[in-house]
Amino acid sequence: MGRLAAAAHMSRRTFDRRFRQATGVSPLRWLVTQRVLRAQHLLESTDLGVDAVARRSGFGDGVAMRPHFRRLVGVPPQAYRDAFRGA
């Protein structure tokens, strides 16, 4: 987030505070949520493996993505894909 703050010509603390005021969440929480939304889209629209989906969504690998995905979506990525395809 330091690079974003620098690009906005703000200190990290000021950037974090203003971002939270504007969005209601921290920059990191917002970023993780956007990455999970991207992962959901890829799981719905492609046959990529979970690790490939994780990498394309900005996570290092599936191990890094799974806890965030499960916390926000409520199920693991593969279960999400299976349920989406079963609908």
Side-chain angles (χ1 to χ4, degrees):
M1 297 303 142
R3 284 190 277 169
L4 290 174
H9 304 288
M10 295 179 201
S11 71
R12 170 80 187 263
R13 184 175 176 179
T14 299
F15 178 80
D16 287 351
R17 188 177 64 249
R18 289 194 181 166
F19 192 96
R20 188 179 296 270
Q21 287 171 343
T23 65
V25 296
S26 72
L28 182 58
R29 171 93 23 136
W30 181 88
L31 180 61
V32 168
T33 300
Q34 296 307 305
R35 288 177 175 175
V36 169
L37 289 170
R38 174 75 174 143
Q40 283 181 282
H41 172 73
L42 291 171
L43 289 166
E44 294 168 7
S45 62
T46 71
D47 290 325
L48 293 170
V50 172
D51 281 333
V53 166
R55 284 189 300 276
R56 289 189 184 192
S57 301
F59 295 101
D61 57 23
V63 172
M65 179 179 75
R66 281 181 186 93
H68 298 291
F69 194 97
R70 181 178 214 127
R71 179 176 50 82
L72 292 171
V73 180
V75 296
Q78 190 60 51
Y80 178 82
R81 174 178 270 162
D82 294 344
F84 183 81
R85 294 207 171 148

